[in-house]
Amino acid sequence: MLKEEGFTNTQSYPDRETTVHQLLDGKVQLLASSNTEIPAALKKIGSSMDDVKNAFTMSTDLVYIAFSKGTSPELVARWQDTLDEMKRDGTFAKIYATWLPAEIPPGIFQLVTEEYPPVTFMRDGKPSGFVTDMVREIAARQGIPDNIRLTSWKNAYNMALLHPKVVLFSAERTPERESLFQWVGPVGKNSAILYAKKGSGIRINSLEEAKAIAAIATTTNWFTEQHLKREGFKNLFSSPDPRSNVRQLMNGEVQLAASLKVGMRTLYRKLKSAA
């Protein structure tokens, strides 16, 4: 996954225990692993989850029971109905908690979003934000368990394209997306803005003028990026995390950043406080 994203700073090791040692000994700064395998690897070398922290969730992937081609659709449907019934009566959650007590089990519906305050963000270890609270309330009124997960927008978007019964929020309704999803809303409104660094002297009077800018930061699969691509822009630098766009703009790596009016100020404040 990292290689596909163009990473060139990875170090590969022959086994998981060696990799964990490299992290704990300070020889590497990050360790790419899954939430299910890292606890066992830490336990094997005499450590625990208290010795590490989640720095960033690269992706959330759903695991299935796969039937071979040619299996009766009626049989597959019976298995699916039985699994859904186990999720409704609590049996599934009980089995899941036996093996993965720290994890939220996947429900019949998967509720996914990204980190973009104040719309969606983590607060006190729990997804929060004004659209998050709306989705949580709607789900509660329908008896749907609160299994909201935060991941990158690219990952959340691809989950909604690939898997059934995925609730993706909050998403702008655009021509490119109209036939890809089914829609409930609106739950808010937003303005897409091209931001320049204060003091840069950049003046843009039209989108056509922006095409002459050397580099514009965009967020992968955001409607802002899709809109600029539709308008024929070739100078876009795409990143999966909107915080990267702000960082690139402040560092002078790009001259403009395509972002949303809601949340831009919060992203900038968080970036400055982390510096």
Side-chain angles (χ1 to χ4, degrees):
M1 185 189 303
L2 294 177
K3 287 181 178 179
E4 289 175 359
E5 293 290 342
F7 279 68
T8 57
N9 58 341
T10 57
Q11 295 289 330
S12 184
Y13 298 95
D15 56 70
R16 179 59 61 199
E17 289 73 35
T18 301
T19 310
V20 174
H21 274 301
Q22 295 296 308
L23 178 70
L24 298 181
D25 293 344
K27 296 178 181 177
V28 298
Q29 291 71 52
L30 292 173
L31 163 63
S33 180
S34 77
N35 59 312
T36 54
E37 66 178 337
I38 190 66
L42 285 164
K43 184 178 180 180
K44 194 170 182 179
I45 65 170
S47 297
S48 72
M49 289 298 292
D50 292 334
D51 297 318
V52 299
K53 70 173 184 176
N54 184 334
F56 181 73
T57 300
M58 295 190 298
S59 70
T60 298
D61 302 297
L62 302 176
V63 180
Y64 284 78
I65 299 169
F67 285 79
S68 59
K69 288 286 188 180
T71 302
S72 163
E74 291 77 14
L75 174 62
V76 177
R78 289 201 301 271
W79 274 65
Q80 185 66 58
D81 290 342
T82 302
L83 178 62
D84 289 349
E85 180 58 33
M86 289 170 58
K87 290 181 178 181
R88 281 190 288 268
D89 67 22
T91 304
F92 180 85
K94 185 176 180 180
I95 296 173
Y96 212 87
T98 300
W99 296 97
L100 299 169
E103 296 296 321
I104 301 173
I108 296 174
F109 286 90
Q110 317 306 323
L111 313 178
V112 294
T113 185
E114 66 172 337
E115 175 89 13
Y116 192 77
V119 180
T120 53
F121 63 100
M122 291 296 289
R123 181 167 64 187
D124 300 327
K126 184 179 180 180
S128 186
F130 77 86
V131 179
T132 304
D133 287 350
M134 290 181 200
V135 170
R136 183 173 281 123
E137 178 64 22
I138 293 170
R141 293 188 182 202
Q142 297 183 76
I144 297 172
D146 180 359
N147 66 354
I148 295 173
R149 290 176 171 84
L150 265 67
T151 181
S152 71
W153 179 256
K154 180 180 179 181
N155 179 226
Y157 190 85
N158 287 337
M159 284 179 66
L161 290 177
L162 179 63
H163 303 286
K165 297 181 179 178
V166 171
V167 179
L168 171 68
F169 66 95
S170 55
E172 273 73 11
R173 191 170 184 169
T174 66
E176 293 89 350
R177 297 174 177 177
E178 181 62 27
S179 62
L180 299 178
F181 307 106
Q182 300 179 81
W183 301 90
V184 172
V187 294
K189 59 180 181 179
N190 225 330
S191 297
I193 297 174
L194 288 174
Y195 287 91
K197 189 175 181 179
K198 191 173 182 179
S200 67
I202 295 176
R203 296 288 184 272
I204 300 295
N205 297 308
S206 68
L207 275 183
E208 200 62 33
E209 289 184 9
K211 291 180 180 179
I213 295 294
I216 301 174
T218 60
T219 304
T220 307
N221 282 336
W222 267 26
F223 83 100
T224 46
E225 180 180 89
Q226 292 174 344
H227 177 74
L228 293 176
K229 286 183 176 180
R230 188 196 323 141
E231 293 292 331
F233 278 70
K234 306 296 183 184
N235 54 347
L236 307 180
F237 280 68
S238 183
S239 302
D241 186 349
R243 290 169 292 192
S244 297
N245 300 160
V246 181
R247 187 179 301 109
Q248 289 168 327
L249 182 65
M250 293 300 102
N251 292 343
E253 299 170 32
V254 299
Q255 289 69 53
L256 294 174
S259 191
L260 308 180
K261 184 176 182 181
V262 173
M264 182 62 173
R265 187 180 297 274
T266 303
L267 286 176
Y268 177 70
R269 284 201 304 263
K270 291 186 73 172
L271 184 65
K272 285 197 71 175
S273 64

